[in-house]
Every structure is written in structure tokens, then in C-alpha cells.
Amino acid sequence: MNDTRLRPLGRSDLRVSRLCLGGNVFGWTADEAAAFRILDAYTAVGGNIVDTADSYSAWAEGHSGGESETVIGAWLHARGRRDDLVIATKVSQHPEFRGLSGANVRAAAHASLKRLGTDTIDLYYAHFDDPDTPVAESAEAFSSLVDEGAIRHIGLSNHSPDRIREWLDACAARGLHAPVCVQPHYNLVERGIEADLVPLARERGLALLPYFGLAKGFLTGKYRPDGPDVDSPRAARARAYLDGPRGERVLAALDAVAAERGTAPAAVALAWLADRPGVTSAIASARDLAQLEDLLPVVGLELTGDESARLTEASA
């Protein structure tokens, strides 16, 4: 991909593609061989940011957490592509490294570095808020990791606007390295953050990298009224979006734009998200190449103002 198509990530020196590849499935529903194929195909079209967490996939039977990082690290070593990619991971939910205390953040970061097989993490997120740890303590721990070179930039995920403000204010007061981005739950059918988090992010210069950009798979178009069952661990939650007329309205608008563009509804949904105010890159994952094929057009797909407005109105 030409670098001119990469976007600056907030006030950092990172530049990233419109589509961020989610690594939550690696080592879980996508084994190492499948993950390698997915990463190869994603980077071949110019995708350059991969998102994971130290806890992926501790929820699966027989897993302990860190499986996704280990697979990504193996791919980076096999392909020799470390300098080409922005690697993002997170701390607070690994069974052995819970919370955001200073000692835990430092220990978890070094465990992630080892699994990823790298000297530095480009983007390190506080995965979930930790009400039992003072924000200033967490902020200082993350900032010290930047100073020692273990991480390059800081992000927050699943934090309320008030807690984000508190973190930013603590950094300003103490001269610490501040977060450059926020990872919220946001998509065509989950737009609640537009009322508070989006204005805050734009005011403070924070990039948004939304997760669940496809609403647990609903916005792929696979879920239809009276349609067949879908083989997915998130099927029940995705199908819930069909309760009421709004879900069908959104699907109809996606179908129409996708047909006009000759692409998949999933690509249209993510393109809409990638162009929302404050959003830098939309996160989505794929467990095989067939699923990935519907996502890859997002790297270069920009909707017209009319197309975006139709989707926005349908999802209101």
C-alpha cells in the first residue's frame, strides 16, 4: 500500500490502514496455519495493524491466555515482517496478570514481549478499567514502559469518558506520556459513544479504533429473519439485533450499497465506520480466508457522502 493511504493514529508517529486485523481468533477458532494465511493475505493488500490482547484466548477450554500473541509472534519471526507492522496488545485480563497496578502492568508487558518475540510493542492498551488501582499509578506504569522502550504508545480500551479524562489529566499534571487512542465498542447498530466519547476523543486528539465493528457478525449480512443458523460462538448475540425493525432496516441499506459497489455488506459496514468522525481504523477479525475476503476491500473502500448518509439514517 502506498503510505499516502495510511492514516495518522492520533498525535502519535504511527500510520495505520483503515482496516485493523483483529487477532482474537488466532490460536482459538483459527489455528496457527489458518492465522498465517490470514496474516499473509491481510498484509498483501496493505493492511499494517494487528490488534490482540494478552488474555486471548483464556476463555477457551485448555487455554491459559497469550495464545494469540504467540501465534502472531511466530508469524512475525517466520516472515521477517516486524518493521512493517503496527502491533497492538492489551493488559488487565490475563489470568496471571489481572488489573492495572503498576507492578502488574510492567510484568504483563514483558510477558507479552516474550510471546510476541519482539523488543517493543507499538501500541499498548489498558484493556479494561481497574477501579481498585489509582489512575495515576496505572498512568505512571504505562509511561515508564515508554521511557524504557518496551512500548511506543499507550491506548485505553473500555474506559468511560470520565475515566479517560482522569487519565489524561493525570498525565498532564505529572508530565507523563499520554494515551494516543481509545478502543471502544462502536458500529452501525451500536452508536452510543457518539453522545460523549466521540466528542471527547476529538477534543483531546485521541484516535478511535472501534472493536466489534461488525456487531458480532450481524453486519456481515449472514443473519436474516427466518434465516438459517450460523456456525459462530457469537451467533445468539448477533441474531438479537433482528429484534425490532431497526436491524432489518440496517441490513436493507447495507445490501443496497453493497450491491451498487459490487462488494460485501461487511466491507460497507466497516467502511462506514472507518469514516466516522474521530475514527482512524476499524477492527475486524476473520477465522479463515473466506471471511477475510469480505473484509479486505475496506483497506481502499471509501463511501460517498450519499452512501454514508443512507447508512447513518437507517441505523438512527
Side-chain angles (χ1 to χ4, degrees), residues 188 191 246 249-250 310-316:
L188 260 172
R191 295 176 52 189
R246 181 167 173 257
R249 220 171 42 234
V250 169
R310 286 154 58 191
L311 293 165
T312 303
E313 181 178 357
S315 66

Side-chain angles (χ1 to χ4, degrees), residues 23 40 52 64-65 142 152 159 192 243 296:
D40 286 341
T52 187
S64 57
F142 275 80
R152 292 178 63 191
H159 282 62
D243 296 340
L296 293 182

Side-chain angles (χ1 to χ4, degrees), residues 166-218:
E166 187 177 350
W167 192 303
L168 294 172
D169 291 347
C171 291
R174 291 166 170 77
L176 305 175
H177 298 285
V180 299
C181 64
V182 176
Q183 189 176 130
H185 184 183
Y186 186 30
N187 56 56
L188 260 172
V189 289
E190 297 284 356
R191 295 176 52 189
I193 70 164
E194 292 176 354
D196 48 19
L197 181 52
V198 171
L200 171 63
R202 299 185 74 189
E203 173 193 343
R204 298 294 189 100
L206 298 167
L208 296 174
L209 291 87
Y211 68 88
F212 281 166
L214 291 174
K216 307 175 184 71
F218 174 72

Side-chain angles (χ1 to χ4, degrees), residues 69 88 212 231 233 270-271 302:
E69 290 180 331
F212 281 166
D231 178 20
L270 291 171
E302 296 186 34

Side-chain angles (χ1 to χ4, degrees), residues 272-291:
W272 175 88
L273 185 59
D275 285 335
R276 296 302 292 167
V279 174
T280 296
S281 185
I283 302 170
S285 59
R287 63 182 177 183
D288 54 40
L289 289 178
Q291 288 188 353

Side-chain angles (χ1 to χ4, degrees), residues 223-289:
Y223 299 87
R224 304 284 177 169
D226 302 318
D229 291 337
V230 176
D231 178 20
S232 168
R234 296 187 175 128
R237 288 181 290 169
R239 189 168 286 281
Y241 288 112
L242 287 171
D243 296 340
R246 181 167 173 257
E248 292 186 50
R249 220 171 42 234
V250 169
L251 290 179
L254 279 176
D255 288 342
V257 176
E260 293 163 11
R261 283 300 193 103
T263 193
V268 173
L270 291 171
W272 175 88
L273 185 59
D275 285 335
R276 296 302 292 167
V279 174
T280 296
S281 185
I283 302 170
S285 59
R287 63 182 177 183
D288 54 40
L289 289 178

